[in-house]
């Protein structure tokens, strides 16, 4: 039952306009409204799972109906607000850092505070502001935390299109932004969907992926993706992929950095996304030598905490194996061996072997 003040199309339109203005005031780059049709993606998604492209991310195979039927995920959903927030600080280098092999490269969204916390708080503030205006509207906010097809929702909301790199691209902001959603029971007027994709004949992301993780345009074998390997994957990283990982120790941005639309990316104004602990400039050796307490202290409130100390060192060991040979690298790797777990030892020994011929 709608409140009296919303019983006309004009009133709902005014509310939609207000919501977009409030979203802007809360730091979101874009806010669009959609009543998505998601069933059309079910077969394709299940096929992707059947191929095993999700690696060990078994949670992606769970809750199938929730993913394709928003009204099951949040009872009474009538519209979804799809929102984006840019995350790249102006001072942070990208390609230059990737090309400095003795320094660590961390995905640029992960240098500062955990985006889940920042965006969830703002989404909740937006939903509460709506509540103040119209009363209880029945809502639930999501940020990369539930079975939500966020890119497909954003595309249907008209925010941009899904590129061959599987990310959402927009002509005004490239893809260096994060997405969040508010499911609401309000029957707001919807925005015009995006019905065309503008990658054209470009294939830069497919050609430049360091580990060849794209099976085809729009089809990612996540089990080969450096983001998956360094963040989600808990095991021994396949040997044939290690030398291709370069200095990428947490995530990978290459398929965005090579995208021609990235030149339109907007810098973030959010202090939460400013790098912490010099993570945009740090030497690999310096990070490898963090003890567990330092890791826990320095990653409090950071998305990097998720990978855990052992996998953090596993990732850095690989990067040290890929770095130019130096005394400090050999020393640091050698000193790690006596107390290394079985998993870490495999990677440290591999890294030392990369330098053996040169040292
Ligand atoms: S994030 Fe990196 S490894 Fe993963 S698909 Fe993109 S370019 Fe390839
Ligand atoms: S690099 Fe080219 S093909 Fe890949 S997403 Fe960007 S525009 Fe599309």
């Amino acid at each position: 039952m709608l409140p009296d003040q919303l019983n006309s199309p004009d009133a709902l339109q005014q509310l939609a306009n207000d919501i977009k203005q409030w979203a802007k005031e809360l730091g979101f780059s874009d806010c669009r409204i959609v009543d998505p049709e998601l069933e059309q993606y079910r077969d394709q998604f299940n096929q992707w799972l059947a191929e095993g492209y999700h690696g060990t991310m078994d949670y992606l195979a769970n809750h199938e109906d929730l993913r394709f039927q928003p009204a099951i995920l949040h009872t009474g959903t009538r519209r979804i607000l799809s929102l984006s927030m840019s995350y790249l600080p102006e001072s942070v280098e990208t390609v230059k850092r990737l090309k400095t092999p003795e320094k660590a490269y961390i995905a640029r969204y992960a240098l500062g505070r955990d985006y889940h916390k920042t965006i969830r708080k703002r989404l909740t503030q937006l939903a509460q502001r709506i509540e103040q205006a119209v009363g209880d509207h029945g809502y639930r906010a999501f940020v990369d935390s539930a079975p939500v097809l966020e890119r497909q929702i954003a595309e249907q909301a008209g925010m941009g299109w899904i590129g061959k790199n599987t990310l959402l691209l927009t002509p005004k902001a490239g893809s260096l932004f994060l997405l969040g959603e508010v499911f609401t029971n309000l029957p707001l007027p919807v925005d015009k969907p995006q019905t065309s994709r503008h990658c054209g004949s470009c294939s830069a992301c497919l050609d430049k992926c360091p580990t060849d993780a794209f099976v085809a345009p729009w089809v990612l074998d996540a089990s080969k993706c450096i983001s998956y390997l360094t963040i989600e994957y808990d095991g021994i990283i396949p040997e044939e992929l290690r030398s291709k990982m370069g200095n990428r120790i947490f995530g990978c941005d290459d398929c965005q950095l090579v995208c021609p639309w990235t030149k339109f990316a907007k810098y973030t104004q959010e202090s939460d996304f400013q790098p912490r602990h010099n993570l945009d400039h740090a030497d690999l050796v310096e990070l490898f030598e963090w003890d567990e307490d330092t890791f826990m202290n320095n990653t409090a409130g950071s998305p990097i905490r998720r990978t855990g100390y052992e996998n953090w060192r596993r990732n850095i060991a690989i990067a040290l194996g890929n770095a130019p040979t130096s005394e400090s690298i050999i020393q640091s790797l050698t000193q790690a061996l006596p107390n290394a777990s079985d998993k870490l030892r495999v990677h440290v020994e591999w890294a030392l072997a990369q330098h053996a011929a040169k040292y």
Side-chain angles (χ1 to χ4, degrees):
M1 184 73 174
L2 279 176
D4 285 347
Q5 77 265 33
L6 287 181
N7 270 334
S8 78
D10 284 353
L12 283 165
Q13 185 59 58
Q14 182 56 51
L15 178 59
N17 296 345
D18 289 344
I19 290 171
K20 290 176 183 186
Q21 178 58 33
W22 297 332
K24 206 168 159 189
E25 290 165 14
L26 285 165
F28 290 104
S29 323
D30 202 359
C31 170
R32 293 181 176 252
I33 302 166
V34 61
D35 178 12
E37 164 43 58
L38 300 175
E39 276 294 342
Q40 60 185 296
Y41 305 111
R42 190 189 284 258
D43 289 349
Q44 193 186 0
F45 188 80
N46 285 338
Q47 181 61 36
W48 183 80
L49 289 173
E51 298 284 358
Y53 294 149
H54 60 305
T56 56
M57 296 183 285
D58 291 340
Y59 60 86
L60 290 174
N62 301 335
H63 309 303
E64 180 180 331
D65 284 339
L66 303 189
R67 194 178 307 279
F68 302 101
Q69 295 181 32
I72 299 183
L73 186 54
H74 167 66
T75 308
T77 298
R78 296 182 77 178
R79 300 290 184 266
I80 297 178
L81 310 179
S82 172
L83 299 109
S84 64
M85 188 179 280
S86 299
Y87 61 76
L88 184 69
E90 191 165 3
S91 60
V92 167
E93 291 165 335
T94 53
V95 177
K96 187 174 169 194
R97 198 53 60 214
L98 261 182
K99 291 184 174 168
T100 317
E102 67 279 12
K103 301 261 181 198
Y105 188 89
I106 290 170
R108 276 22 206 158
Y109 76 83
L111 293 169
R113 187 171 190 242
D114 189 342
Y115 67 92
H116 294 93
K117 296 174 195 285
T118 302
I119 297 184
R120 182 183 302 285
K121 185 171 163 202
R122 304 293 172 81
L123 292 174
T124 304
Q125 286 172 329
L126 178 62
Q128 288 170 343
R129 194 138 182 203
I130 299 170
E131 206 163 62
Q132 280 165 14
V134 301
D136 181 16
H137 59 105
Y139 73 86
R140 199 169 157 196
F142 298 97
V143 50
D144 196 17
S145 55
V148 175
L149 292 175
E150 55 177 8
R151 296 166 195 170
Q152 288 82 352
I153 289 169
E155 187 175 51
Q156 288 191 19
M159 191 183 288
W161 69 94
I162 298 174
K164 291 178 190 174
N165 62 4
T166 73
L167 301 173
L168 192 84
L169 306 183
T170 77
K172 290 189 182 157
S175 59
L176 297 175
F177 52 77
L178 300 154
L179 293 168
E181 299 76 33
V182 177
F183 288 35
T184 174
N185 300 358
L186 289 168
L188 295 161
V190 298
D191 287 305
K192 207 166 146 231
Q194 174 85 27
T195 53
S196 54
R197 292 177 168 175
H198 300 277
C199 286
S201 60
C202 177
S203 61
C205 54
L206 314 179
D207 301 338
K208 297 283 170 60
C209 171
T211 52
D212 251 334
F214 292 102
V215 181
W218 292 285
V219 183
L220 175 68
D221 178 354
S223 70
K224 291 173 77 180
C225 171
I226 295 169
S227 289
Y228 163 82
L229 292 170
T230 55
I231 302 171
E232 303 280 349
Y233 182 59
D234 194 32
I236 292 175
I237 293 183
E239 190 166 350
E240 68 275 14
L241 297 180
R242 293 179 203 156
S243 61
K244 300 176 178 177
M245 292 166 64
N247 58 348
R248 301 164 189 82
I249 64 162
F250 186 92
C252 171
D253 293 328
D254 287 40
C255 53
Q256 301 191 79
L257 299 179
V258 299
C259 179
W261 295 96
T262 294
K263 65 174 174 282
F264 300 110
K266 297 280 183 290
Y267 292 117
T268 186
Q269 304 305 319
E270 293 294 331
S271 55
D272 280 357
F273 296 130
Q274 291 298 324
R276 296 176 170 186
H277 308 292
N278 198 33
L279 285 174
D280 56 330
H281 282 95
D283 288 333
L284 289 166
V285 169
E286 174 195 339
L287 298 183
F288 191 63
E289 291 184 352
W290 280 3
D291 62 18
E292 190 159 6
D293 284 348
T294 308
F295 174 81
M296 294 307 278
N297 287 334
N298 289 356
T299 60
S302 150
I304 294 172
R305 173 71 74 86
R306 182 168 164 201
T307 199
Y309 181 59
E310 187 186 25
N311 290 343
W312 167 252
R313 295 195 90 206
R314 171 199 66 181
N315 300 345
I316 305 173
I318 292 174
L320 287 170
N322 293 328
T325 303
S326 74
E327 200 168 326
S328 62
I329 287 178
I330 303 293
Q331 195 179 338
S332 193
L333 287 166
T334 307
Q335 281 173 355
L337 273 178
N339 296 319
S341 63
D342 289 348
K343 179 166 60 176
L344 181 59
R345 173 183 299 276
V346 169
H347 298 88
V348 170
E349 286 176 346
W350 175 86
L352 283 166
Q354 306 315 298
H355 296 291
K358 303 171 216 158
Y359 199 67

